[in-house]
Amino acid sequence: DAKTTQPPSMDCAEGRAANLPCNHSTISGNEYVYWYRQIHSQGPQYIIHGLKNNETNEMASLIITEDRKSSTLILPHATLRDTAVYYCIVRVPNSGGSNYKLTFGKGTLLTVNP
Amino acid sequence: DTGVSQDPRHKITKRGQNVTFRCDPISEHNRLYWYRQTLGQGPEFLTYFQNEAQLEKSRLLSDRFSAERPKGSFSTLEIQRTEQGDSAMYLCASSLAGASKNIQYFGAGTRLSVL
């Protein structure tokens, strides 16, 4: 899996948009970008994934640059419950070899302040 | 269906004792994964099952660790002769092969403290 780089921490005001960046400059053409988050003392929670087009679901939006070397996870209206560690992971889904596992870095601790 | 279930949530044991954790995946999921997470780090892969077959084990999984998934449903992770370094959160995840980019869904984890 390609290595990702994320800032160790970020702050956001409640109600504002939280924009979490991720660099994945060595991503290959068939690797997807996945985002998970982990609230304190819970297991990781899947948020969203994408290949090259921007994606949106009920939780967040994912913006992937045209060269696919970086992406941004956007939480449009952050709440206190969004305080968590956010992990950006790149991998090839449903292929052989070692691509069944998720390789987590240290992620970004997002703190949403009242 | 309530997602991936892990039991117990917390386990405190003395060094040298054996412990066993259980994971019940999402019912139709045929893939099951175990990860370990220590304080301040992201989860690290331990092992992976497709149905009842254990297909891969990480080098992190020493000989004291054994995982089973006897009927392709629930799984157990046993640690023999526990050491203080085994203290961690043990996470289980499941996924459905071939479906929606193989998204893994995690349980809440079992936190192990070895005294």
Side-chain angles (χ1 to χ4, degrees), chain B residues 24-43:
Chain B
D24 287 90
I26 294 172
S27 59
E28 68 270 23
H29 284 185
N30 54 356
R31 288 183 176 170
L32 187 147
Y33 315 78
W34 286 98
Y35 292 80
R36 181 174 71 184
Q37 185 174 27
T38 54
L39 199 61
Q41 304 296 317

Side-chain angles (χ1 to χ4, degrees), chain A residues 60-77:
Chain A
S61 295
L62 174 60
I63 308 298
I64 302 174
T65 58
E66 190 170 347
D67 64 7
R68 303 209 323 120
K69 293 185 177 182
S70 66
S71 60
T72 301
L73 179 75
I74 301 172
L75 308 179
H77 305 287

Side-chain angles (χ1 to χ4, degrees), chain B:
Chain B
D1 183 86
T2 57
V4 178
S5 177
Q6 292 189 246
D7 184 70
R9 289 294 313 277
H10 304 276
K11 178 70 177 178
I12 300 174
T13 191
K14 293 182 179 180
R15 188 178 55 175
Q17 297 295 305
N18 299 342
V19 294
T20 300
F21 311 139
R22 177 180 170 124
C23 172
D24 287 90
I26 294 172
S27 59
E28 68 270 23
H29 284 185
N30 54 356
R31 288 183 176 170
L32 187 147
Y33 315 78
W34 286 98
Y35 292 80
R36 181 174 71 184
Q37 185 174 27
T38 54
L39 199 61
Q41 304 296 317
E44 295 175 290
F45 170 79
L46 291 179
T47 190
Y48 149 68
F49 291 84
Q50 179 147 324
N51 300 312
E52 66 275 7
Q54 188 174 18
L55 298 185
E56 185 65 30
K57 294 193 291 186
S58 162
R59 285 172 292 178
L60 293 174
L61 213 65
S62 76
D63 291 344
R64 296 183 297 105
F65 288 70
S66 63
E68 294 183 344
R69 195 183 182 200
K71 298 182 180 179
S73 57
F74 73 92
S75 174
T76 58
L77 177 67
E78 181 183 16
I79 309 174
Q80 295 181 327
R81 304 180 304 281
T82 52
E83 302 173 355
Q84 288 185 328
D86 297 331
S87 295
M89 173 78 86
Y90 290 84
L91 294 160
C92 176
S94 70
S95 70
L96 182 61
S100 188
K101 306 309 177 190
N102 197 20
I103 295 167
Q104 294 183 25
Y105 296 90
F106 285 79
T110 294
R111 183 168 296 283
L112 173 66
S113 297
V114 182
L115 304 179

Side-chain angles (χ1 to χ4, degrees), chain A residues 32 34 36 38 40-49 85 87 91-95 97-107, chain B residues 9 31 33 35 37 40-45 48 55-57 89 91 96-109 111:
Chain A
Y32 283 66
Y34 290 74
Y36 280 76
Q38 188 171 23
H40 183 61
S41 296
Q42 297 184 21
Q45 177 190 22
Y46 165 78
I47 301 173
I48 199 167
H49 72 279
V85 177
Y87 296 100
R91 62 190 285 262
V92 180
N94 285 326
S95 68
S98 62
N99 291 308
Y100 43 81
K101 65 182 177 182
L102 297 173
T103 300
F104 291 84
K106 292 188 176 181
Chain B
R9 289 294 313 277
R31 288 183 176 170
Y33 315 78
Y35 292 80
Q37 185 174 27
Q41 304 296 317
E44 295 175 290
F45 170 79
Y48 149 68
L55 298 185
E56 185 65 30
K57 294 193 291 186
M89 173 78 86
L91 294 160
L96 182 61
S100 188
K101 306 309 177 190
N102 197 20
I103 295 167
Q104 294 183 25
Y105 296 90
F106 285 79
R111 183 168 296 283

